[in-house]
Amino acid sequence: MKKAIIIISAILLAIITGLYLLSPISDLDFFWHLATGRWIVDNLRLPSSDPFSYTTPVLLESRELFILKSYWLSQVIYWLLYNLMGYNGIILLRFFIWSLLLYILYKRAIFQVKDSLIPLWLLIVSSMVLLINYPLERPHIWSFLFFNLLLYIFERDKSFYLIPPLMLLWANMHGGYILGSLIIMVYLTGNIINRVLLKRQQALDKELLLWGLGGIIAGFINPCTYHAVTETFTMPESMRRGVIEYLSSIETLLKRNNLTIPVYWLLLLIAITGTLIKVFKKRITPHEIILLAGLGYFSFVQIRFIAFFIIWAIPLVGNTLTEIKKPVRYLLISLLLIPCLYVFFIIKEDYYLIRNLHRFKTQAWLDAYFPESAVQFMKANSMNGNLYNYYDWGGYLIWRFYPEKRVFIDGRQLYKYVYEQSNEINNALEYPRVYDMPAWKAILYTYSVDHILIPPFRLTGDVLPLLNALLNDRDWEPVYVSGSSIIFVKNTEKNAHILSKYAIPKDRALNMLIERVEFLMANMPYSIRFYIALGDLYTVAKDYKKAREIYVAGLRLSPYNILLKERLRLIEYVIKSHQR
C-alpha cells in the first residue's frame, strides 16, 4: 500500500512540475537579461554604460554598475541557449535547474527523515509554493540551486573543498551569493560555539574553517567585488516600494490574494515547533537556531526570502512531522497539500496548465501579457521617435527594439529620478504645473516623447490614471488598441501620417478595452484583477453604478482584497456625491 502511495505521489509531483515548467515565459526582467547577454557576447566585454535606455545618465554610480555587470554569466548562458535553440533552450534550462534543485532537496530531506513518503509530499508542497511565486527564467533561480547545494555540502556531503568553486560560480551569476557567504559564516560560528562556549568535546573542524574562508574570499572574485553587500542595504526606499519581492508575507496575502502564504506560515510554524522539540531534547545545534531565526524573520517580512526559508526548512519540517503522532501529522500534511492543490489547479487557472501541453506542441512560449502585437505595429509603421513605455514592459522592449529604439524605463531601475518621474506619469500627477502643464505632461514634454505604450491595467488589475488622463487630453490620440496594450501618439505634424491612418475615437477605444476585459473575465472568473480592471474602466467611462456592481462581485470572491475595498469605498462616495 505504501509503495503505491509513493508511486502516486511521485507521479503527482512530476505532473505538477512538468505542467508548470511548460508555462509561458512571463518574467518581466528576463528579457533585459537576455538582451544584456547578447550585448556581452557581441561586444566581448561587460557594459560600463547603459546601451538600452535614453534616460540613463552617462556617469553611473556603483549601484547602476552593479546591475549592469553582476549577472553577466547567467545572462551569457541565457543568450547562448536562446541563440542555439530559441525559447526551447530556456524551457529546457528550467527543467534542468528545477530537477536538480528537487533532487538535492530530496537527498537532504531523506537523510534526516529516513522515510521516502513524507519528503515526497513536502516536495509537492514546496514545488507548488515556489513555482507559483518565483519565475524560473530569472537569475535568482541560480541562487536557489546553489543555496541548496551549499546546505547539502554542510549537512551531508562534507566535501568542503567544493565551497570555493561553488561560491566563485555563484558570485558571477547572481548577487544572492551574499547569502551563501552568510551561511558559511553561520556554520563556522556554530562550530566555534560548540567547541568554545558550549564546551562540547568536539575539535574545531580545520577543513571547514579553511575551505569556508576560501569560499567567502572566492565570492568577492566578480566584476563588482564587494558591491553586492553595499547595494543590498542601500537600495532607495522609493524603489523598494515598487518591487513585489519586498512585500511582507502579510501584505502579499492581503494585497495580491496570494493563498500560498498561509501554507508558508504553516511550514514556518512546524519548523519553529521542530526547533523547540530539539531544544527540549537537547539535540539542537547553534547554526540551526541562527538559521531559523534569520531565515524565518526575513522570509516573513520580505517574500523574496520565502524560497530560501523553504529550501532550508523542508528537512527540518519532515523530521518534525515524523515525531508528531499520526492523526496530527496527517492533518498537518493535509493542511499543506490541499490548499496548494486548490490554488495550483483551480484559482491559478490563468496559468493554463493543461493548455501548456498544447504549448509544448506549438512552442508558443511568450506570455500574452507582453505587447508583441503593439511592437509589430510600431515597427511596421516606423515609429522612431522617443517612446514612453510602461515600467513592466521595459525589459521586453529592450529585447525587441534594440538597437533601433531605446526605452524610457525598465526593471533595472538604473536611475532613481527617472523611476520617480515614471510614477508621476503613470499616476497622472497634476502638480506641480510646469510650462502651464500638469506634471505628467511636462515630463513627457521634457523628454520629447512622441509615442506612449501602456497596458490598459496593471498586473494587479488597477487601471493606470495615465490612461484616463490621455483619454481626456486633446494632445494625445490612440492609434492602436488591444486587450494587452494601447498606443497613444502625440498630436503633431510629425505624426500626422500615423494619425490620419490609424487614429481611433477615444470613446471607441475605451469601449474596446471594456469589451476585451469582459471577455477575459468570462473566461477566467477566478482572476480578481479582471474585476478590478473592469470596475476601473467603467469608472473611467463614468458608469459608476456598473463599476460598483463589478467591485461587489469581485469582493464576493476575494473579501479581503484591499484594492477592491478601496475602490468600492471610493465609488460609493462618488455615487453619493452625484445624488446630492
Side-chain angles (χ1 to χ4, degrees), residues 356-423:
N356 284 344
L357 294 174
H358 178 69
R359 192 182 305 280
F360 176 73
K361 180 180 178 181
T362 60
Q363 298 182 11
W365 298 120
L366 186 65
D367 191 277
Y369 178 66
F370 296 110
E372 175 57 23
S373 58
V375 168
Q376 292 179 1
F377 177 88
M378 296 185 73
K379 283 177 169 282
N381 290 281
S382 301
M383 296 172 67
N384 296 321
N386 279 354
L387 169 70
Y388 173 76
N389 61 278
Y390 183 54
Y391 170 84
D392 281 2
W393 289 343
Y396 180 72
L397 297 177
I398 284 173
W399 168 245
R400 293 291 283 113
F401 278 135
Y402 183 81
E404 60 212 64
K405 182 188 285 289
R406 298 188 178 195
V407 301
F408 183 92
I409 192 170
D410 60 271
R412 297 172 301 167
Q413 298 184 1
L414 284 182
Y415 192 30
K416 175 185 175 183
Y417 186 56
V418 171
Y419 179 76
E420 293 171 347
Q421 287 181 319
S422 180
N423 283 334

Side-chain angles (χ1 to χ4, degrees), residues 273-285 289:
T273 303
T275 302
L276 292 175
I277 292 173
K278 283 191 168 188
V279 169
F280 180 75
K281 294 184 176 182
K282 297 182 179 180
R283 296 187 323 199
I284 196 71
T285 56
I289 296 175

Side-chain angles (χ1 to χ4, degrees), residues 497-509:
H497 65 292
I498 299 290
L499 291 167
S500 62
K501 191 173 182 180
Y502 296 109
I504 302 170
K506 291 181 176 179
D507 57 346
R508 174 58 185 150

Side-chain angles (χ1 to χ4, degrees), residues 288-306:
E288 287 178 305
I289 296 175
I290 297 171
L291 290 174
L292 174 65
L295 293 173
Y297 170 77
F298 283 108
S299 62
F300 190 82
V301 299
Q302 290 184 6
I303 61 169
R304 65 190 314 209
F305 291 103
I306 287 179

Side-chain angles (χ1 to χ4, degrees), residues 292-474:
L292 174 65
L295 293 173
Y297 170 77
F298 283 108
S299 62
F300 190 82
V301 299
Q302 290 184 6
I303 61 169
R304 65 190 314 209
F305 291 103
I306 287 179
F308 296 107
F309 170 78
I310 289 178
I311 290 170
W312 170 76
I314 286 300
L316 173 60
V317 170
N319 184 268
T320 304
L321 289 172
T322 60
E323 299 198 16
I324 297 174
K325 291 183 179 181
K326 283 190 176 180
V328 179
R329 179 194 310 169
Y330 292 125
L331 174 62
L332 289 173
I333 291 172
S334 298
L335 289 174
L336 289 169
L337 279 171
I338 293 174
C340 283
L341 290 169
Y342 178 68
V343 169
F344 206 80
F345 288 111
I346 305 299
I347 298 297
K348 289 295 181 181
E349 64 178 33
D350 52 320
Y351 284 140
Y352 301 108
L353 289 179
I354 303 303
R355 297 187 191 181
N356 284 344
L357 294 174
H358 178 69
R359 192 182 305 280
F360 176 73
K361 180 180 178 181
T362 60
Q363 298 182 11
W365 298 120
L366 186 65
D367 191 277
Y369 178 66
F370 296 110
E372 175 57 23
S373 58
V375 168
Q376 292 179 1
F377 177 88
M378 296 185 73
K379 283 177 169 282
N381 290 281
S382 301
M383 296 172 67
N384 296 321
N386 279 354
L387 169 70
Y388 173 76
N389 61 278
Y390 183 54
Y391 170 84
D392 281 2
W393 289 343
Y396 180 72
L397 297 177
I398 284 173
W399 168 245
R400 293 291 283 113
F401 278 135
Y402 183 81
E404 60 212 64
K405 182 188 285 289
R406 298 188 178 195
V407 301
F408 183 92
I409 192 170
D410 60 271
R412 297 172 301 167
Q413 298 184 1
L414 284 182
Y415 192 30
K416 175 185 175 183
Y417 186 56
V418 171
Y419 179 76
E420 293 171 347
Q421 287 181 319
S422 180
N423 283 334
E424 291 178 24
I425 294 171
N426 289 337
N427 293 315
L429 293 189
E430 289 288 324
Y431 298 98
R433 297 183 71 85
V434 184
Y435 309 122
D436 199 31
M437 301 178 192
W440 67 270
K441 197 171 180 180
I443 297 170
L444 294 174
Y445 176 81
T446 301
Y447 286 102
S448 302
V449 172
D450 290 301
H451 315 120
I452 296 174
L453 173 58
I454 59 173
F457 54 90
R458 295 183 175 100
L459 280 173
T460 49
D462 48 323
V463 168
L464 291 176
L466 177 61
L467 176 64
N468 188 28
L470 291 170
L471 289 173
N472 288 284
D473 191 289
R474 64 183 180 180

Side-chain angles (χ1 to χ4, degrees), residues 199-327:
K199 306 296 183 181
R200 291 177 178 171
Q201 297 302 313
Q202 175 182 333
L204 289 176
D205 193 324
K206 294 181 181 179
E207 186 180 1
L208 169 61
L209 182 63
L210 173 65
W211 294 114
L213 291 175
I216 293 173
I217 294 170
F220 292 107
I221 305 175
N222 67 79
C224 303
T225 60
Y226 63 88
H227 287 289
V229 180
T230 57
E231 301 310 325
T232 298
F233 298 103
T234 59
M235 183 177 184
E237 183 59 32
S238 60
M239 293 186 175
R240 287 177 183 268
R241 288 196 297 268
V243 179
I244 294 172
E245 295 173 358
Y246 287 99
L247 292 176
S248 72
S249 58
I250 296 174
E251 290 174 316
T252 304
L253 176 64
L254 295 178
K255 290 184 177 180
R256 303 186 66 81
N257 199 40
N258 189 326
L259 299 181
T260 65
I261 295 300
V263 176
Y264 149 70
W265 287 339
L266 183 55
L267 287 170
L268 177 59
L269 181 61
I270 296 172
I272 293 172
T273 303
T275 302
L276 292 175
I277 292 173
K278 283 191 168 188
V279 169
F280 180 75
K281 294 184 176 182
K282 297 182 179 180
R283 296 187 323 199
I284 196 71
T285 56
H287 69 262
E288 287 178 305
I289 296 175
I290 297 171
L291 290 174
L292 174 65
L295 293 173
Y297 170 77
F298 283 108
S299 62
F300 190 82
V301 299
Q302 290 184 6
I303 61 169
R304 65 190 314 209
F305 291 103
I306 287 179
F308 296 107
F309 170 78
I310 289 178
I311 290 170
W312 170 76
I314 286 300
L316 173 60
V317 170
N319 184 268
T320 304
L321 289 172
T322 60
E323 299 198 16
I324 297 174
K325 291 183 179 181
K326 283 190 176 180

